Amino acid sequence: MERIKIGIIGAGRIGKLHAENLKQLPQVEIKTISDIFADNIRDWAVQNGIANVTADYQDIMRDPEIAAVFICSPTDTHIAIIEEAAKAGKHIFCEKPISFALDKTVQALELVEKSGVKFQTGFNRRFDHNMSRIQELVREGKIGDTHILKITSRDPAPPHKEYIPASGGMFIDMTIHDFDIARFMVGSDVEEVFVQGAVLVDPVFAECGDIDTAIISLKFKNGALGVIDNSRQAHFYDQRVEVFGSKGCLTIQNDYPSSAELYTADGVYRDKPLYFFLERYNEAYVKEVKAFIDALVHDTPVPVSANDGYQAELIAHAAKLSLQEKRPVKVEEVLTQWHISV
Amino acid sequence: MERIKIGIIGAGRIGKLHAENLKQLPQVEIKTISDIFADNIRDWAVQNGIANVTADYQDIMRDPEIAAVFICSPTDTHIAIIEEAAKAGKHIFCEKPISFALDKTVQALELVEKSGVKFQTGFNRRFDHNMSRIQELVREGKIGDTHILKITSRDPAPPHKEYIPASGGMFIDMTIHDFDIARFMVGSDVEEVFVQGAVLVDPVFAECGDIDTAIISLKFKNGALGVIDNSRQAHFYDQRVEVFGSKGCLTIQNDYPSSAELYTADGVYRDKPLYFFLERYNEAYVKEVKAFIDALVHDTPVPVSANDGYQAELIAHAAKLSLQEKRPVKVEEVLTQWHISV
Amino acid sequence: MERIKIGIIGAGRIGKLHAENLKQLPQVEIKTISDIFADNIRDWAVQNGIANVTADYQDIMRDPEIAAVFICSPTDTHIAIIEEAAKAGKHIFCEKPISFALDKTVQALELVEKSGVKFQTGFNRRFDHNMSRIQELVREGKIGDTHILKITSRDPAPPHKEYIPASGGMFIDMTIHDFDIARFMVGSDVEEVFVQGAVLVDPVFAECGDIDTAIISLKFKNGALGVIDNSRQAHFYDQRVEVFGSKGCLTIQNDYPSSAELYTADGVYRDKPLYFFLERYNEAYVKEVKAFIDALVHDTPVPVSANDGYQAELIAHAAKLSLQEKRPVKVEEVLTQWHISV
Amino acid sequence: MERIKIGIIGAGRIGKLHAENLKQLPQVEIKTISDIFADNIRDWAVQNGIANVTADYQDIMRDPEIAAVFICSPTDTHIAIIEEAAKAGKHIFCEKPISFALDKTVQALELVEKSGVKFQTGFNRRFDHNMSRIQELVREGKIGDTHILKITSRDPAPPHKEYIPASGGMFIDMTIHDFDIARFMVGSDVEEVFVQGAVLVDPVFAECGDIDTAIISLKFKNGALGVIDNSRQAHFYDQRVEVFGSKGCLTIQNDYPSSAELYTADGVYRDKPLYFFLERYNEAYVKEVKAFIDALVHDTPVPVSANDGYQAELIAHAAKLSLQEKRPVKVEEVLTQWHISV
């Protein structure tokens, strides 16, 4: 069996993580990794059996042996790379968000579609053992028709100050995962969004024109309602979901480092949940790349499509508009705003 | 020690419940109970040691020995009874809501205030062992500043069809408890409300101009955000609260008939939570009337004031307006709507 | 309907508790309560509507109107009172243990049986919402055949030093409840006992010839195995049971004052379980006396028989012998030891 | 950095597992694997980058480059291989039990000690995230002095009939892990053992002279008491531990495939715990071999010593004797039985 040759573009935290997970898959060879600071990663690449390191990702595009690329570079580089990869006939795994500009996302995805390459959006949470289990139970009809979706999604601590202005704002940076999980759980697109947002954690968010706390109401096209609550500072990674329907309710809780509990005269104590996404979604990242590779090997559809990436961005832009205009916003209004014809 | 003599007006489910709880208190004598179907309750009254049963609640108003009345009659009778009781100098325990019309609630409560009688609103949930415990911990500063309040409040099954049109709508009938708990937990009044409502449980609600499912976003005057989710059909009484703040998060869960769990080859099973409010808030109802009687005995403020009743109604009316006009509504808009000058 | 007249003998903590619970039952009148310190309880008796207080329990025996007695006096007075009550034709509710001497227990119970009066042993835990629920599920066959029973039973803090020598030892004073629950859960008598005992909490137990910590292995007549672990000092009342069988496992946990949980950067905290038996078994005590009164009213068998009381004592004596002789002891050996012919 | 060369002897389920885990460690090279059915594993070896496959483990002994061996062959081959490895100066990781015969275990370990090679016993559970966390908290003094240890250890389903006679009996095959965890948690050796054993799952155990269900009482040299309950059939892997002491109690629960819970009108449901050791102790096996390799790299003591292996066998033999003679057995009696002088 010949191994699928992969190129990885961007060797930051997430690029390295994907590389280390891909390394475990016998069907895969990571042929080349590119990073603008190529020298910084040479040792790491050797330790991980990656043959080529380059500062120029075009080396990957030009290599006819490379069948698929992982786009792990900063968001503002995504569109150009996607377009080049599509033209080069390389399958694409792209980190979220696809871009900060909805019209460019649309253009790029149209090109992808025409080119016929596969495109998977990096929504790792769908592969989480908790998330995937309740989605499966929803799909099996265990709760009947879905009436209410609830997502709690809170980061342990705010990002660095420098990161905030470049993040695209909380919705496109952080909540985008929740928008995807919302669609994943309910099995329907979103029709309307209303945001109550606030700066309660750190005034730096206000200085950057951003928020750090939000309650986001959703109305889905199938009639279900939903709510996401976000905070940039929960002291651990608080990621819980509840799906309520005509027959019952499904819930998932946080994951813990252990089940140890200490009972004393002063009360009952246990360690807090896992601190952040690398711990919590460790296995989900493995399953995510495995699912992409499986889709390549068997030439089957990828489990998280380009449209999934686009839809989550659409909701994020609607949320932004709702926050600005302090009113409920139809998701389709965003199309008008961005001059997109469906 | 002389016992405080009580009159109870209305001997439906809640009137009888209060009577049976008051009976346990050594400082109290239930002297008279009135109900328009007086004959139906005579046996029950004898069994519970209540001396007088009358079809005319004016018998209670005219009795100078009676120091306090419990108003447990239908909502549309409350205002008249409150005004008569206030004029008669009798302390008042009044079931929620005080009335369906905000201007009448205001008028009645002004009269109460002038008369100097005590007035407690029947928000029993504040006395629940779970609710009161987390409110205490919030007040002690355990979570720092409150950022997000979340209330899940779902009835086990819809009320009878006949009840719906007379209920005043879901917000004033059911969610009013949640609006009160919201203020209780956050320690602040509400500034703005936005509602996503739907009829997902039973079309009869639409026929009655009501809804059965809602996501209600709240913005509090102190800057905190909140969300309440309601359903008329959860198959058990689902009442959970979460308060999240700068230092941490407090949660409460449902109460269960037992802690029994069954582990088998097919999975892990436990009985569902307590079915409805009489089971879940059984003890809370006892504490509620005890607290009212204590306030009479010691001439101290009642723990749930007339203003608490009024504020919850105010939010309910704002929620109704938001639902109708599909937009966020400032609570103060409701004052204009009802021609109330503060 | 005429009310059953009750006499209560002994107005310590448990006598008063039973009185206050009996007071709630409409079918019952507590006619007389006796206590050697009669004067101390007169006020309490008035407040609780008990007509007669006496220092001489013979007043109860002599009263032909009194149909049933509650024996709540110290253990060393039980036998004489049981015999007198049986002769007087009065039904008996007797606190555990029936006596410290197995031969006397047997004699008294033979007399009870001949007299035809009902006799309920005060094993309140059978009426606990948790205990009764899993026993019901065991009986329904949910776990198939029972293989292993596990009981954790730990007091919050040791009794007063003065109490220890008069307690009859840990097995007859404390573990006797566990021996009863063991038979209740497994539905079989015990065949063999082995004890590992120790003094780990306080040397005063050793000074009194007692222990404070134990692991008690049980073999039941139906082949099941069991283990009880006891401690005199758990800082709260730790009462958990697990029944494991061919098809699965049933567990119950402790009860908590609330479900409140506090999540912070330092971990997750909740209040410890209820402190002691008056809180934990509050409702069980109510149900226990109600079940006794129901058996009187309907002339049906009592739910906890004289034999149940006897069997638990039998196991307690076997446990004591095992501890002394450091070997497994057949329960029938105790019969020989006490010269009892079955 | 030169990589430590490893030889693995025995490529059954556990041998392959260790190989796949060792492969992840950059400091290690698996040079050779031996199995009597060498041909069966050649494909697997290639896929896992193992250079040499042999049917003769002496090839490993003779290879001067190989610094350490993993002994994963059947128990009755351990002693000979340990002795050869020790003579060849190779460090040893040996699966449990070291042998079925205590005198041979002692001889082999004496030889190991003289030779100066490191020897780690394969008690993987010490590396479990739950087990290690509570042991850490015990060691930190969080529960004060240890009074009671409780271990629940139940397999999902009995082993194949053919396996039972060759297993050495339940204590040496299965409970040996619990005996090790007991010592690990309490931090003390065991002084006395008493067993209540039974055949309740399948009569085949009786036919093989074995049992399938047991309650094992332990007395530790430091005065603490303990109990282990075992079953060969729990329908999932039931592995729970509780350590109770003067200041409080520590517990760990089973691990679950997810935290998903389904609430319906019929009750609350969740999936059962992980099915067996490969799922439950997946990570523990990784940490176990990593710890061994770390001890080689840094020339530090291994975390689970030869003595740990020996002590667990000692208790297992005492348990067997207790079962046979139906009496409590001092662990030192086993030394006499096996003619071992300490």
Side-chain angles (χ1 to χ4, degrees):
Chain A
M1 190 188 74
E2 210 175 331
R3 295 201 291 171
I4 295 171
K5 292 191 175 56
I6 302 283
I8 296 175
I9 299 167
R13 187 167 53 176
I14 195 72
K16 282 180 173 166
L17 178 68
H18 288 319
E20 286 162 10
N21 289 335
L22 285 165
K23 192 180 66 170
Q24 314 302 332
L25 302 177
Q27 318 96 311
V28 169
E29 179 191 334
I30 306 171
K31 188 171 178 195
T32 305
I33 191 159
S34 75
D35 196 275
I36 51 169
F37 303 109
D39 288 344
N40 292 351
I41 58 163
R42 288 194 200 280
D43 286 353
W44 167 87
V46 169
Q47 279 163 32
N48 285 278
I50 301 173
N52 307 302
V53 174
T54 173
D56 181 6
Y57 74 83
Q58 301 290 359
D59 291 345
I60 290 171
M61 296 299 171
R62 281 187 292 257
D63 185 340
E65 281 193 349
I66 289 178
V69 295
F70 276 66
I71 305 178
C72 308
S73 51
T75 300
D76 56 12
T77 69
H78 285 187
I79 293 297
I81 299 174
I82 290 168
E83 292 180 349
E84 287 162 13
K87 283 176 194 159
K90 298 188 190 310
H91 301 298
I92 299 166
F93 180 104
C94 182
E95 273 307 311
K96 45 68 34 183
I98 298 171
S99 83
F100 294 136
L102 195 63
D103 51 357
K104 294 200 175 161
T105 296
V106 169
Q107 280 176 348
L109 296 187
E110 280 171 356
L111 191 63
V112 164
E113 196 171 0
K114 276 180 208 147
S115 75
V117 300
K118 293 183 195 291
F119 185 101
Q120 182 168 328
T121 312
F123 287 137
N124 57 294
R125 291 187 198 172
R126 291 191 180 209
F127 301 90
D128 173 59
H129 62 134
N130 296 316
M131 301 280 184
S132 60
R133 182 63 179 130
I134 58 166
Q135 195 263 357
E136 185 178 51
L137 292 166
V138 169
R139 220 175 47 215
E140 288 174 6
K142 289 288 193 292
I143 59 162
D145 299 326
T146 297
H147 290 181
I148 297 174
L149 168 79
K150 295 176 72 177
I151 296 176
T152 294
S153 176
R154 302 172 189 153
D155 278 358
H160 286 287
K161 280 187 185 187
E162 295 70 33
Y163 178 80
I164 302 169
S167 72
M170 191 176 74
F171 300 132
I172 204 104
D173 179 52
M174 170 180 166
T175 323
I176 196 165
H177 279 294
D178 307 315
F179 294 137
D180 180 60
I181 288 296
R183 292 180 61 252
F184 180 59
M185 291 295 171
V186 177
S188 167
D189 284 335
V190 166
E191 184 177 307
E192 191 179 279
V193 184
F194 175 75
V195 173
Q196 280 284 14
V199 177
L200 300 173
V201 171
D202 192 330
V204 73
F205 286 98
E207 291 159 22
C208 301
D210 203 351
I211 57 171
D212 54 34
T213 306
I215 298 287
I216 303 160
S217 299
L218 302 173
K219 188 172 177 179
F220 294 87
K221 289 194 173 161
N222 69 358
L225 306 181
V227 64
I228 297 164
D229 72 271
N230 286 152
S231 169
R232 282 290 196 179
Q233 179 191 276
H235 308 292
F236 54 83
Y237 202 40
D238 196 350
Q239 301 272 308
R240 288 170 286 150
V241 176
E242 176 173 328
V243 199
F244 170 79
S246 55
K247 290 187 189 166
C249 187
L250 280 160
T251 62
I252 53 173
Q253 305 304 321
N254 290 306
D255 284 340
Y256 288 82
S258 83
S259 62
E261 288 193 307
L262 174 62
Y263 296 74
T264 74
D266 298 326
V268 184
Y269 172 87
R270 65 188 153 126
D271 293 329
K272 66 180 174 178
L274 295 176
Y275 188 71
F276 210 3
F277 65 96
L278 293 183
E279 292 95 332
R280 167 73 178 262
Y281 294 126
N282 183 32
E283 273 187 46
Y285 281 111
V286 173
K287 288 186 192 159
E288 177 187 47
V289 298
K290 191 173 178 321
F292 178 65
I293 299 301
D294 283 349
L296 301 193
V297 169
H298 304 297
D299 193 16
T300 51
V302 293
V304 194
S305 70
N307 182 55
D308 291 326
Y310 163 69
Q311 289 291 339
E313 286 180 27
L314 200 55
I315 307 169
H317 288 290
K320 202 167 178 180
L321 190 58
S322 172
L323 181 69
Q324 283 163 351
E325 305 196 351
K326 297 177 186 296
R327 63 175 181 89
V329 167
K330 300 273 180 200
V331 165
E332 62 191 17
E333 291 181 54
V334 176
L335 300 180
T336 314
Q337 188 191 15
W338 288 89
H339 310 292
I340 294 166
S341 53
V342 199
Chain B
M1 190 188 74
E2 211 175 330
R3 297 200 290 172
I4 294 170
K5 291 189 178 56
I6 301 284
I8 296 174
I9 297 167
R13 189 168 52 178
I14 195 72
K16 282 179 172 165
L17 178 69
H18 287 320
E20 286 162 10
N21 290 335
L22 284 165
K23 193 180 62 171
Q24 313 302 332
L25 303 176
Q27 319 93 312
V28 168
E29 179 191 333
I30 306 171
K31 188 171 179 195
T32 305
I33 190 160
S34 75
D35 196 275
I36 52 168
F37 303 109
D39 288 344
N40 291 351
I41 59 162
R42 288 194 199 280
D43 286 354
W44 168 86
V46 169
Q47 280 163 31
N48 284 279
I50 301 173
N52 306 303
V53 174
T54 175
D56 180 6
Y57 75 82
Q58 299 290 358
D59 290 346
I60 290 170
M61 295 300 172
R62 281 186 293 255
D63 185 340
E65 283 193 350
I66 289 177
V69 296
F70 276 66
I71 304 179
C72 308
S73 50
T75 300
D76 55 13
T77 69
H78 285 186
I79 292 296
I81 298 174
I82 290 168
E83 293 181 348
E84 288 163 12
K87 284 175 191 159
K90 296 186 192 314
H91 301 298
I92 298 166
F93 180 104
C94 183
E95 274 307 312
K96 46 65 39 181
I98 298 172
S99 84
F100 294 134
L102 195 63
D103 50 356
K104 294 199 174 160
T105 295
V106 168
Q107 280 176 350
L109 295 187
E110 282 173 356
L111 191 63
V112 164
E113 195 171 2
K114 277 180 207 148
S115 74
V117 299
K118 292 181 194 295
F119 185 102
Q120 183 168 328
T121 310
F123 287 136
N124 55 294
R125 290 187 198 171
R126 291 192 180 208
F127 301 89
D128 173 60
H129 62 135
N130 295 317
M131 302 278 184
S132 60
R133 182 61 179 132
I134 58 167
Q135 194 264 355
E136 187 179 49
L137 292 165
V138 170
R139 219 175 47 216
E140 287 173 7
K142 289 288 193 295
I143 59 162
D145 299 327
T146 297
H147 290 180
I148 297 175
L149 168 78
K150 294 176 73 177
I151 296 177
T152 293
S153 176
R154 302 172 189 153
D155 278 357
H160 286 285
K161 281 186 184 186
E162 296 70 35
Y163 178 79
I164 301 168
S167 72
M170 191 176 74
F171 301 132
I172 203 105
D173 179 52
M174 172 181 164
T175 323
I176 196 166
H177 279 294
D178 307 317
F179 295 137
D180 181 60
I181 288 297
R183 293 179 61 251
F184 180 58
M185 292 295 172
V186 177
S188 167
D189 285 335
V190 166
E191 184 177 307
E192 191 179 278
V193 184
F194 175 76
V195 173
Q196 279 284 15
V199 176
L200 300 173
V201 172
D202 192 330
V204 73
F205 285 98
E207 292 159 22
C208 300
D210 203 352
I211 56 171
D212 55 34
T213 306
I215 298 286
I216 304 159
S217 298
L218 302 173
K219 187 172 178 181
F220 294 87
K221 290 195 172 159
N222 70 357
L225 306 181
V227 64
I228 298 165
D229 71 274
N230 286 153
S231 169
R232 282 289 197 179
Q233 179 191 280
H235 307 293
F236 55 82
Y237 202 40
D238 196 350
Q239 301 272 306
R240 287 169 287 149
V241 176
E242 176 173 329
V243 199
F244 170 79
S246 55
K247 289 188 191 167
C249 187
L250 279 160
T251 63
I252 54 174
Q253 303 304 321
N254 289 305
D255 283 342
Y256 288 83
S258 83
S259 62
E261 287 193 306
L262 173 63
Y263 296 74
T264 74
D266 298 325
V268 184
Y269 172 88
R270 64 185 153 129
D271 293 328
K272 65 182 174 178
L274 296 176
Y275 188 70
F276 209 2
F277 65 95
L278 292 182
E279 292 96 332
R280 167 74 179 261
Y281 294 126
N282 183 35
E283 273 187 46
Y285 281 111
V286 173
K287 288 185 192 158
E288 175 187 49
V289 299
K290 192 172 178 319
F292 177 65
I293 299 301
D294 283 351
L296 301 193
V297 169
H298 304 297
D299 194 15
T300 50
V302 293
V304 193
S305 70
N307 182 54
D308 291 326
Y310 163 71
Q311 290 290 340
E313 287 179 27
L314 201 55
I315 308 169
H317 288 290
K320 203 168 176 178
L321 190 59
S322 172
L323 182 68
Q324 283 164 351
E325 305 196 350
K326 297 177 186 298
R327 63 174 181 88
V329 167
K330 300 271 181 200
V331 165
E332 62 192 17
E333 291 181 54
V334 176
L335 300 179
T336 313
Q337 187 192 17
W338 288 90
H339 310 292
I340 294 166
S341 53
V342 199
Chain C
M1 189 188 74
E2 212 175 328
R3 295 200 290 170
I4 294 169
K5 291 188 177 59
I6 302 282
I8 297 174
I9 298 167
R13 188 168 53 176
I14 195 71
K16 282 179 171 166
L17 178 70
H18 287 320
E20 286 161 11
N21 289 336
L22 285 165
K23 192 180 66 171
Q24 313 302 334
L25 302 177
Q27 319 93 311
V28 167
E29 180 191 333
I30 306 172
K31 190 172 176 192
T32 306
I33 190 160
S34 75
D35 197 276
I36 51 168
F37 302 108
D39 288 345
N40 292 352
I41 60 163
R42 288 192 199 281
D43 286 354
W44 168 85
V46 169
Q47 280 163 32
N48 285 278
I50 302 173
N52 307 302
V53 174
T54 175
D56 181 5
Y57 74 83
Q58 300 290 359
D59 291 345
I60 290 171
M61 296 300 172
R62 280 186 294 255
D63 185 340
E65 281 193 349
I66 289 177
V69 296
F70 276 66
I71 305 178
C72 307
S73 50
T75 300
D76 56 12
T77 69
H78 284 185
I79 293 297
I81 298 174
I82 290 168
E83 292 181 349
E84 287 163 12
K87 284 177 192 158
K90 297 187 190 312
H91 301 299
I92 298 165
F93 180 104
C94 183
E95 274 306 313
K96 47 66 36 182
I98 298 172
S99 83
F100 294 135
L102 195 63
D103 51 356
K104 294 198 175 162
T105 296
V106 169
Q107 279 177 349
L109 295 187
E110 280 171 356
L111 191 62
V112 164
E113 195 169 3
K114 276 181 208 148
S115 75
V117 299
K118 293 181 194 294
F119 185 101
Q120 182 168 329
T121 311
F123 286 136
N124 56 295
R125 290 185 198 173
R126 290 193 180 209
F127 301 90
D128 173 60
H129 62 134
N130 295 318
M131 301 278 184
S132 61
R133 182 63 179 130
I134 56 166
Q135 194 265 355
E136 187 178 49
L137 292 165
V138 170
R139 219 176 45 216
E140 288 174 6
K142 289 287 194 293
I143 59 162
D145 299 326
T146 297
H147 291 180
I148 296 174
L149 168 79
K150 294 176 72 176
I151 297 176
T152 293
S153 176
R154 302 173 189 152
D155 278 357
H160 285 287
K161 281 189 184 185
E162 295 70 35
Y163 178 78
I164 302 168
S167 72
M170 191 176 75
F171 301 132
I172 204 104
D173 179 52
M174 172 181 165
T175 324
I176 195 164
H177 279 295
D178 307 316
F179 294 136
D180 181 60
I181 288 297
R183 292 180 60 252
F184 180 59
M185 291 296 172
V186 177
S188 168
D189 285 335
V190 166
E191 186 178 305
E192 192 179 278
V193 184
F194 176 75
V195 173
Q196 279 284 15
V199 177
L200 300 173
V201 172
D202 192 330
V204 71
F205 286 99
E207 291 159 23
C208 300
D210 204 352
I211 56 171
D212 54 34
T213 305
I215 298 285
I216 304 161
S217 299
L218 301 173
K219 188 172 177 180
F220 294 87
K221 289 196 172 160
N222 70 357
L225 305 182
V227 64
I228 298 163
D229 71 273
N230 287 152
S231 169
R232 284 289 197 180
Q233 179 191 277
H235 308 293
F236 55 81
Y237 202 40
D238 196 350
Q239 303 271 307
R240 288 170 285 150
V241 176
E242 176 173 329
V243 199
F244 170 79
S246 55
K247 290 186 189 167
C249 187
L250 280 159
T251 62
I252 54 174
Q253 304 303 321
N254 289 306
D255 283 342
Y256 287 82
S258 83
S259 62
E261 289 193 306
L262 174 62
Y263 296 73
T264 74
D266 298 325
V268 184
Y269 172 87
R270 64 185 153 127
D271 294 328
K272 66 181 174 180
L274 295 176
Y275 188 71
F276 209 4
F277 65 96
L278 293 182
E279 292 95 331
R280 166 75 178 262
Y281 294 126
N282 183 33
E283 273 187 46
Y285 280 112
V286 173
K287 288 186 191 158
E288 175 187 50
V289 299
K290 191 171 178 321
F292 178 65
I293 298 302
D294 283 350
L296 301 192
V297 169
H298 304 299
D299 194 14
T300 50
V302 293
V304 193
S305 69
N307 182 55
D308 291 326
Y310 163 70
Q311 290 290 340
E313 288 180 27
L314 201 55
I315 308 169
H317 287 290
K320 203 167 177 178
L321 191 58
S322 172
L323 181 68
Q324 284 163 350
E325 305 197 349
K326 298 176 186 298
R327 63 175 181 89
V329 167
K330 300 273 179 198
V331 165
E332 62 191 17
E333 291 180 53
V334 175
L335 300 180
T336 313
Q337 187 192 17
W338 288 89
H339 309 293
I340 293 167
S341 52
V342 199
Chain D
M1 191 187 74
E2 210 176 331
R3 296 201 291 171
I4 295 170
K5 292 190 179 54
I6 301 283
I8 296 176
I9 299 168
R13 188 167 53 177
I14 195 72
K16 282 178 171 167
L17 179 69
H18 287 320
E20 286 161 11
N21 290 334
L22 285 165
K23 192 179 63 170
Q24 313 301 333
L25 302 177
Q27 318 94 312
V28 167
E29 179 192 333
I30 305 172
K31 188 171 178 195
T32 306
I33 190 159
S34 75
D35 196 276
I36 51 169
F37 302 108
D39 288 344
N40 292 351
I41 59 163
R42 289 195 197 279
D43 286 353
W44 168 87
V46 169
Q47 279 163 34
N48 285 280
I50 301 174
N52 307 303
V53 174
T54 174
D56 180 6
Y57 74 82
Q58 300 290 359
D59 290 346
I60 291 171
M61 295 301 171
R62 281 186 292 257
D63 184 340
E65 281 193 350
I66 290 177
V69 295
F70 276 66
I71 305 178
C72 307
S73 50
T75 301
D76 55 12
T77 68
H78 284 186
I79 292 297
I81 299 174
I82 291 169
E83 293 180 349
E84 288 163 13
K87 283 175 193 159
K90 298 187 190 311
H91 301 299
I92 299 166
F93 180 103
C94 183
E95 274 307 311
K96 47 64 42 182
I98 298 171
S99 83
F100 294 136
L102 195 62
D103 50 357
K104 294 199 174 161
T105 296
V106 169
Q107 279 176 349
L109 296 186
E110 281 172 357
L111 191 63
V112 164
E113 197 171 1
K114 275 179 209 148
S115 74
V117 299
K118 293 182 193 293
F119 185 103
Q120 182 167 329
T121 311
F123 287 136
N124 57 295
R125 291 187 197 170
R126 291 192 180 209
F127 300 90
D128 173 60
H129 62 134
N130 296 316
M131 301 280 183
S132 60
R133 183 61 178 131
I134 58 167
Q135 194 264 357
E136 186 179 49
L137 292 165
V138 169
R139 220 175 47 215
E140 287 173 7
K142 288 288 193 294
I143 60 162
D145 298 326
T146 298
H147 290 180
I148 297 175
L149 168 79
K150 294 176 73 177
I151 297 176
T152 292
S153 176
R154 303 173 188 153
D155 277 358
H160 287 286
K161 280 188 184 185
E162 295 69 35
Y163 178 79
I164 302 168
S167 72
M170 191 176 75
F171 300 133
I172 204 103
D173 179 52
M174 171 181 165
T175 323
I176 196 166
H177 279 295
D178 307 316
F179 294 136
D180 181 60
I181 288 297
R183 292 179 60 252
F184 180 58
M185 292 295 172
V186 177
S188 168
D189 285 335
V190 166
E191 183 177 308
E192 190 179 279
V193 184
F194 175 76
V195 174
Q196 279 285 12
V199 177
L200 299 174
V201 171
D202 192 330
V204 73
F205 286 98
E207 291 159 22
C208 300
D210 203 350
I211 57 171
D212 55 35
T213 306
I215 298 286
I216 304 159
S217 299
L218 302 172
K219 188 171 177 180
F220 294 86
K221 289 195 173 159
N222 71 356
L225 306 182
V227 63
I228 297 164
D229 71 272
N230 286 153
S231 169
R232 282 289 197 180
Q233 179 190 278
H235 308 293
F236 54 82
Y237 202 39
D238 196 350
Q239 301 271 306
R240 288 169 286 151
V241 177
E242 177 173 328
V243 199
F244 171 80
S246 54
K247 289 187 190 168
C249 186
L250 280 160
T251 63
I252 54 174
Q253 305 302 320
N254 290 305
D255 283 343
Y256 287 83
S258 83
S259 62
E261 288 193 307
L262 174 63
Y263 296 74
T264 74
D266 297 326
V268 184
Y269 172 87
R270 65 186 153 129
D271 294 329
K272 66 181 174 178
L274 296 176
Y275 188 71
F276 209 2
F277 65 96
L278 293 181
E279 293 95 332
R280 168 73 179 262
Y281 294 126
N282 183 34
E283 274 187 46
Y285 280 111
V286 174
K287 288 185 192 160
E288 176 188 46
V289 299
K290 192 174 177 319
F292 177 65
I293 298 302
D294 283 351
L296 301 193
V297 169
H298 304 298
D299 193 15
T300 52
V302 293
V304 193
S305 70
N307 182 53
D308 291 327
Y310 162 71
Q311 289 290 340
E313 287 180 27
L314 199 56
I315 307 169
H317 288 290
K320 203 167 177 179
L321 190 58
S322 173
L323 182 69
Q324 283 163 351
E325 305 197 349
K326 298 176 184 298
R327 64 175 180 89
V329 166
K330 300 274 179 197
V331 166
E332 61 192 18
E333 292 181 53
V334 175
L335 300 180
T336 313
Q337 188 192 17
W338 288 89
H339 309 292
I340 294 166
S341 52
V342 200

